[in-house]
Amino acid sequence: IQGAADWLEANHDEDDFLLWIEPFDPHEPFEVPQKYLDMVGDDYEGKLFFWPEYKQVEKAGIPPEALRHIRKRYLALLLMTDTWLGKIFDVMDRYDMWQDTLFIYTTDHGYMLGEHGYLAKNYMPAYNEVFNIPIIGHMPQDVGAGTRIDALTQNIDIMPTLLDYYGISEDDCRNRLNGKSWLPLISGEKETIRDCAIYGYFGKQMNLTDGRYT
């Protein structure tokens, strides 16, 4: 992230750039500097869990105090990630880039920390904790600021959204796009861009949701 912040600092006054930042954290192993553990009050003294097993809590033999320790280590990891992501925001604040910069924040999946009795991901049913991911967007000049949109969206919508924003036709793409632009949702022109969404695991369960039922 520091490299991305430095690049943004050096190129903040350029037009039509795309900066893609993909930090690995928060991810296993849950290893962070002590100052972040101090922030969450992790005083656990038992066996450390830097990398929880991909098992059910009961089958992995994780006692309640160890599960609390795992959750606090993950929270500390989130705090560390948030601190470093703030370096990007600092640059954008310093040059008031929010007025002319489109910003999208999202992830690829969630992680089970004892919910429904599971740890980690990929082997349990497709629970919301893993698949209902955050997507936060900022439009230049605060268009639609503070609005929560309940429409079904997916990560495959990011590319069509960028094309739409820059006025590039999807016909210019070699392959057919399955995603939909978010701009009609943000402008209020539409309340939905799809009736349902398919999600699931590669080679495992596949689900269909209308946003209420799955």
Side-chain angles (χ1 to χ4, degrees):
I1 291 181
Q2 185 62 63
D6 292 342
W7 186 94
L8 195 61
E9 180 80 35
N11 295 277
H12 67 271
D13 56 353
E14 296 293 333
D15 291 326
D16 298 336
F17 64 80
L18 172 65
L19 176 60
W20 184 289
I21 306 169
E22 191 170 351
F24 191 65
D25 285 321
H27 200 280
E28 311 103 318
F30 301 165
E31 188 170 8
V32 296
Q34 186 61 44
K35 66 177 182 179
Y36 296 106
L37 294 172
D38 293 340
M39 292 170 67
V40 301
D42 183 28
D43 55 1
Y44 177 71
E45 296 181 352
K47 177 183 176 182
L48 295 178
F49 287 87
F50 292 104
W51 199 309
E53 293 184 78
Y54 279 46
K55 292 182 178 180
Q56 290 176 278
V57 175
E58 185 175 343
K59 290 182 178 180
I62 307 295
E65 61 272 17
L67 185 58
R68 287 193 294 270
H69 162 67
I70 290 171
R71 290 172 172 173
K72 285 189 175 183
R73 291 198 75 93
Y74 188 76
L75 177 57
L77 189 62
L78 291 178
L79 289 172
M80 183 186 74
T81 304
D82 181 67
T83 298
W84 281 90
L85 184 61
K87 295 181 180 295
I88 300 297
F89 295 155
D90 288 342
V91 177
M92 296 187 70
D93 287 344
R94 186 155 50 248
Y95 299 105
D96 197 23
M97 297 179 67
W98 303 105
Q99 294 303 309
D100 61 359
T101 305
L102 171 63
F103 179 90
I104 297 173
Y105 173 88
T106 189
T107 187
D108 54 350
H109 59 76
Y111 194 88
M112 305 290 271
L113 295 166
E115 296 88 351
H116 310 287
Y118 289 96
L119 288 170
K121 61 184 188 294
N122 291 349
Y123 65 94
M124 68 285 289
Y127 288 113
N128 281 348
E129 286 85 355
V130 175
F131 284 88
N132 189 10
I133 60 175
I135 295 177
I136 301 172
H138 167 81
M139 295 294 293
Q141 301 177 348
D142 295 328
V143 174
T147 302
R148 183 184 179 94
I149 297 174
D150 292 328
L152 282 174
T153 59
Q154 297 181 277
N155 280 354
I156 57 172
D157 300 331
I158 294 177
M159 183 178 178
T161 300
L162 295 177
L163 293 176
D164 192 11
Y165 179 76
Y166 281 104
I168 301 172
S169 173
E170 293 186 11
D171 294 335
D172 291 336
C173 297
R174 177 176 298 179
N175 302 108
R176 180 173 64 89
L177 301 182
N178 294 301
K180 304 291 183 182
S181 171
W182 296 330
L183 296 192
L185 297 175
I186 296 171
S187 67
E189 178 185 343
K190 294 182 178 180
E191 293 185 354
T192 181
I193 53 175
R194 58 172 53 84
D195 295 326
C196 58
I198 297 174
Y199 67 98
Y201 295 105
F202 176 76
K204 289 182 81 250
Q205 302 101 327
M206 296 300 296
N207 299 316
L208 182 71
T209 183
D210 63 359
R212 182 179 182 186
Y213 298 106
T214 296

